[in-house]
Amino acid sequence: MNRRLVLVNSVVGAVVVAFDGTVLTVAQPTLQRDLGASFAQVQWTSTGYLIAVASLLVFAGRLGDRYGHQRLFGVGMLGFGAASAGIALAPGVGWVIGLRVVQGVFGALLQPATLGMLRAAFPPDRLRTPIAVRTAAIGVAAAAGPVLGGALVAGAGWRAVFLLNVVPALVLGVLALAVRPARTVSGVRLDLPGALLLAITLACLVHALVALPGRFWTAAAAAVAAVAFVRHERGTASPLLPRDVIGSSAVGSALGMLVAASAALSGALFAGTFLLQDVLGLDPFRSALVSLPLAVSMVLAAPLCAVLLRRVGARRTTMVAMAVLALGILVLSRASAVPVLCAAFALVGAGFGTVLPAATHVVVRHAAVKSAGVAGGLQQTAMNVGPVLGVAAATALMGAGGDPAPPLGVLAALALAGAVASRGLPGRPTPTSNDHGHSSDRIRVPAQR
């Protein structure tokens, strides 16, 4: 397997998805005016996508484990690109919502594959750099998305932003399907009842968080489905979540940290927007410039994280990074001068830009190759649920008055709480023999107590 080609596919696939999310935010106001849509309809262009992608990520990862991550990546990219083209040609907002759901389905197919391909192509002790490169590319997409999206919306209109992803998605999709992988089907069995129960759980959970405070019935449905899912997984011989993945304390700690970090980041950005524009009176362009250090420091932190993982281990790296993330949010909550605001955003980006590749490395490395897709699906699920949780918490804490200070303080505390999860991560790595993904990629499952 060509490792450089795998890395390119993984990076471009992650960038396409990240870029699509950032440009949509910029395009939504113009889309609403052009299509005569209501605010609720425009909101569903994001909500429909989130529900579709979050509910299917783990099952899509399991499909990759069975049929090959390269094949799932190719199908996902082709479908994602075709849906993007359809949105650009949509005659009404109903078509946009429906195609965004379709886009979420194909996005769920390709996202776990971007990590599963890396796990299958690189030995466990050489995963740090590819994951760091992938994270840095996501940071570049997050920085460039609003700028390029805003320029396109102001010039060619909102439809143009959805055409950006079409060509790279279709080209990479065709190439991925044209290259025959060494192994196409494994002996992994599909747990369809478990996949359905987990999809219901996550779909209801995301809907409940997005629709707070008035959707408690979906929260109740999520709880009931979650209980049923756990009971089913305990009783089936071929669970959707393999025990070599969920039985690892390191993987559980890393996933918890990803949820906390992404929730803190997204919630802080949401509240920070109101702080910059409503409290401090900055216009949208100046607000974007003030927050630009976040993306810059995130890009710079990713390669540094690879060095830290090798020298001091994931435990110390993530503990310090979560503390830096919390400090940045706390400074943001009390800042008013532009230099202090820029410093706060730089701290937030440095903290999150370190936590993301470090925790992702733990999740991917500590899964067997045959479970790499599920591990990637769990990582992507954490990265989708966390932001929804953070924005929901910030919205609820801001209340009718719109004061951003209380949610920023709580989100800083959440980041500090996430640092506690680093105790379950491995410490400084020790030299071990490598058999290229056979014996060294499996972890010992703790005995049941």
Side-chain angles (χ1 to χ4, degrees):
M1 185 180 293
N2 189 318
R3 291 175 180 169
R4 290 185 178 179
L5 180 59
V6 168
L7 180 57
V8 169
N9 285 343
S10 178
V11 168
V12 176
V15 166
V16 164
V17 174
F19 192 82
D20 180 84
T22 57
V23 298
L24 175 65
T25 303
V26 177
Q28 280 180 330
T30 306
L31 182 152
Q32 180 180 11
R33 291 192 298 269
D34 187 32
L35 298 180
S38 66
F39 180 77
Q41 288 174 321
V42 172
Q43 186 181 31
W44 266 101
T45 62
S46 296
T47 302
Y49 176 89
L50 284 172
I51 290 176
V53 71
S55 61
L56 295 174
L57 281 167
V58 176
F59 182 60
R62 202 53 167 167
L63 287 174
D65 291 333
R66 179 174 174 82
Y67 297 108
H69 301 296
Q70 182 177 307
R71 179 177 295 176
L72 266 291
F73 174 82
V75 173
M77 288 294 279
L78 287 176
F80 197 91
S84 296
I87 294 171
L89 301 173
V93 70
W95 281 94
V96 174
I97 295 171
L99 287 169
R100 282 286 290 170
V101 173
V102 173
Q103 196 177 45
V105 172
F106 286 104
L109 292 180
L110 74 91
Q111 288 186 58
T114 62
L115 291 173
M117 290 189 299
L118 290 181
R119 180 63 183 89
F122 290 85
D125 59 347
R126 296 182 63 184
L127 278 169
R128 303 181 189 94
T129 299
I131 291 176
V133 171
R134 181 179 180 274
T135 302
I138 293 174
V140 172
V147 178
L148 184 55
L152 285 173
V153 171
W158 67 269
R159 298 179 186 274
V161 302
F162 290 100
L163 294 175
L164 287 174
N165 290 328
V166 174
V167 173
L170 296 182
V171 170
L172 285 183
V174 170
L175 291 177
L177 294 179
V179 178
R180 185 180 298 275
R183 184 186 64 180
T184 56
V185 179
S186 72
V188 173
R189 297 181 61 183
L190 299 178
D191 178 18
L192 296 180
L196 178 61
L197 288 171
L198 182 60
I200 295 173
T201 300
L202 292 172
C204 291
L205 175 62
V206 170
H207 185 263
L209 291 173
V210 171
L212 282 176
R215 297 294 182 182
F216 293 108
W217 67 270
T218 50
V224 172
V227 171
F229 173 71
V230 171
R231 294 188 61 180
H232 169 79
E233 290 292 284
R234 289 179 175 177
T236 185
S238 302
L240 176 66
L241 302 180
R243 290 174 177 84
D244 65 337
V245 176
I246 61 172
S248 166
S249 60
V251 172
S253 298
L255 291 173
M257 185 173 294
L258 286 172
V259 172
S262 59
L265 173 70
S266 297
L269 291 178
F270 179 81
T273 300
F274 287 90
L275 172 66
L276 294 176
Q277 297 187 23
D278 291 354
V279 178
L280 301 180
L282 301 180
D283 58 53
F285 180 72
R286 289 192 64 194
S287 297
L289 291 179
V290 168
S291 62
L292 188 60
L294 185 150
V296 174
S297 60
M298 181 176 171
V299 173
L300 296 176
L304 177 61
C305 176
V307 177
L308 293 174
L309 286 174
R310 185 170 58 252
R311 294 186 177 180
V312 303
R315 185 184 306 148
R316 292 181 179 178
T317 299
T318 54
M319 182 178 295
V320 173
M322 290 296 283
V324 171
L325 174 60
L327 176 61
I329 297 174
L330 188 61
V331 172
L332 181 63
S333 68
R334 300 174 179 273
S336 57
V338 169
V340 180
L341 289 168
C342 291
F345 280 113
L347 288 172
V348 171
F352 186 78
T354 304
V355 170
L356 177 56
T360 300
H361 175 261
V362 171
V363 174
V364 177
R365 178 191 171 103
H366 281 71
V369 172
K370 67 179 182 180
S371 302
V374 169
L378 288 171
Q379 189 270 355
Q380 293 291 325
T381 300
M383 293 301 298
N384 278 271
V385 172
V388 178
L389 175 63
V391 173
T395 302
L397 290 169
M398 285 176 65
D403 184 4
L408 288 172
V410 171
L411 292 166
L414 175 62
L416 280 179
V420 177
S422 64
R423 299 181 61 182
L425 301 185
R428 185 175 181 178
T430 57
T432 57
S433 60
N434 177 44
D435 57 2
H436 298 281
H438 293 285
S439 62
S440 65
D441 63 344
R442 288 169 174 79
I443 57 171
R444 187 178 302 276
V445 179
Q448 299 292 328
R449 296 181 179 180

